[in-house]
Amino acid sequence: AQKVTQAQTEISVVEKEDVTLDCVYETRDTTYYLFWYKQPPSGELVFLIRRNSFDEQNEISGRYSWNFQKSTSSFNFTITASQVVDSAVYFCALSEATSGTYKYIFGTGTRLKVLA
Amino acid sequence: DTGVSQDPRHKITKRGQNVTFRCDPISEHNRLYWYRQTLGQGPEFLTYFQNEAQLEKSRLLSDRFSAERPKGSFSTLEIQRTEQGDSAMYLCAGQHTNTEAFFGQGTRLTVV
């Protein structure tokens, strides 16, 4: 069955520290997509990154980077030089191609607090 | 700004009343989703539209819930005879084929 696990419930860091958010997923599909979204207190889910299952190349986009490893079913997300504005709840999500709907399965989220 | 707007942002209703929420995606969003999010949890899928056709409904969507997307444009989600357990954030997302989903700011429902 499909599942997304975010074991870290809450993380607190001091501004300018790097922080990594963990995500482990389960799926039987060979074609799937993984996402990270940010949810600030306003409630809107803000898209951050997307990775498909057949592209394990890890990239850096500004202060964001990700580490996708199919061998361990992990899709970890790193914020470099964290800022107070990064404080939010971060969700990892899985979308399976065979579902037909491409609906998202979300983890329970990690609350990140960046202290000044 | 994701281009997806939801109305109202907040709704307080008495138990047993009916409520209706509206979602306006951008015109390119041929796919539209409704999700429900309770406190401390990730969003859970409720239903999916491909243009105007409702193609999937979650088991979470009881008979008291109904959703429409007339003409493949805006969508409405109605809850009849609301219960306290319906209190949650209701999120709408629009998506164009092979892209990521873009979420609205949600409607927070409180049933008293």
Side-chain angles (χ1 to χ4, degrees), chain A residues 12-98:
Chain A
S12 291
V13 299
V14 176
E15 202 171 19
K16 297 184 183 178
E17 285 185 358
D18 299 347
V19 57
T20 295
L21 309 180
D22 297 335
C23 174
V24 175
Y25 63 93
E26 294 177 31
T27 178
R28 294 176 184 171
D29 272 24
T30 55
T31 302
Y32 53 89
Y33 302 87
L34 295 164
F35 306 83
W36 277 97
Y37 281 81
K38 171 183 178 180
Q39 188 174 44
S42 60
E44 182 175 341
L45 281 163
V46 178
F47 166 75
L48 297 176
I49 55 175
R50 177 178 82 155
R51 180 57 62 194
N52 60 48
S53 55
F54 38 89
D55 183 1
E56 286 192 73
Q57 183 178 357
N58 296 307
E59 295 183 17
I60 297 173
S61 175
R63 294 188 300 112
Y64 299 154
S65 63
W66 51 95
N67 187 345
F68 174 35
Q69 292 192 346
K70 289 177 71 172
S71 60
T72 56
S73 297
S74 65
F75 185 50
N76 298 337
F77 174 64
T78 297
I79 303 174
T80 303
S82 59
Q83 300 174 2
V84 173
V85 294
D86 295 328
S87 296
V89 181
Y90 289 80
F91 289 98
C92 180
L94 165 71
S95 173
E96 298 173 317
T98 55

Side-chain angles (χ1 to χ4, degrees), chain B:
Chain B
D1 183 10
T2 65
V4 179
S5 60
Q6 292 188 244
D7 184 70
R9 294 289 309 281
H10 303 273
K11 179 70 176 178
I12 300 175
T13 190
K14 292 183 178 179
R15 188 163 50 97
Q17 297 294 306
N18 299 343
V19 294
T20 299
F21 310 141
R22 179 180 171 119
C23 171
D24 285 271
I26 64 175
S27 58
E28 288 81 4
H29 290 160
N30 55 325
R31 297 175 177 167
L32 186 143
Y33 305 82
W34 284 97
Y35 290 84
R36 181 170 69 188
Q37 185 180 20
T38 54
L39 201 61
Q41 299 297 314
E44 294 177 294
F45 169 77
L46 291 179
T47 190
Y48 163 67
F49 288 86
Q50 175 84 26
N51 299 311
E52 69 275 9
Q54 187 176 21
L55 298 184
E56 184 171 339
K57 293 192 290 187
S58 163
R59 287 174 295 173
L60 294 175
L61 216 63
S62 74
D63 292 344
R64 297 183 297 105
F65 287 70
S66 63
E68 294 182 341
R69 192 183 185 197
K71 301 179 183 178
S73 56
F74 70 93
S75 177
T76 59
L77 177 68
E78 180 184 16
I79 309 175
Q80 296 183 327
R81 305 181 303 282
T82 52
E83 302 172 355
Q84 287 190 323
D86 296 332
S87 295
M89 174 80 89
Y90 290 84
L91 294 162
C92 173
Q95 185 179 14
H96 185 64
T97 307
N98 294 331
T99 69
E100 54 277 359
F102 292 93
F103 287 80
Q105 290 183 302
T107 295
R108 184 170 296 282
L109 173 67
T110 303
V111 181
V112 297

